[in-house]
Amino acid sequence: MKKEKVNYLFCPYDGKVLNARREISFEIRLTSRLILDELCFNWNKKMLEEKINQSIQKGNKEEFASVREEYMQYIWE
């Protein structure tokens, strides 16, 4: 029985060049997500504090009560 031979032929690719992208590591994605969450949390808390102060200055008890309920979720620790 004869041995089989395999011949390979190189054909250059003439199509569009594809560039590989490097994945962002999990640690960087997690850190950036945590930083964005903390920034949003602090901004929302600051805005609610300003709304509470404005409602106190105006003397509007209904607005104060509604904003206070939202603010309590930020300080429930």
Side-chain angles (χ1 to χ4, degrees), residues 2-62:
K2 285 185 164 183
K3 290 186 179 180
E4 294 184 16
K5 292 184 180 180
V6 178
N7 292 330
Y8 293 100
L9 179 63
F10 176 72
C11 296
Y13 179 70
D14 293 331
K16 184 179 176 184
V17 176
L18 300 175
N19 296 326
R21 292 189 322 180
R22 187 172 160 213
E23 281 283 325
I24 297 173
S25 68
F26 174 76
E27 292 84 10
I28 293 174
R29 284 188 285 157
L30 178 64
T31 304
S32 62
R33 180 64 180 223
L34 290 173
I35 289 171
L36 286 173
D37 286 347
E38 184 177 358
L39 288 172
C40 290
F41 174 82
N42 289 335
W43 187 82
N44 288 333
K45 184 176 176 182
K46 180 182 162 192
M47 294 304 291
L48 287 173
E49 287 174 351
E50 289 178 8
K51 284 183 181 180
I52 286 175
N53 290 336
Q54 288 175 358
S55 64
I56 290 173
Q57 288 175 354
K58 292 178 186 175
N60 190 346
K61 292 182 181 181
E62 293 83 18

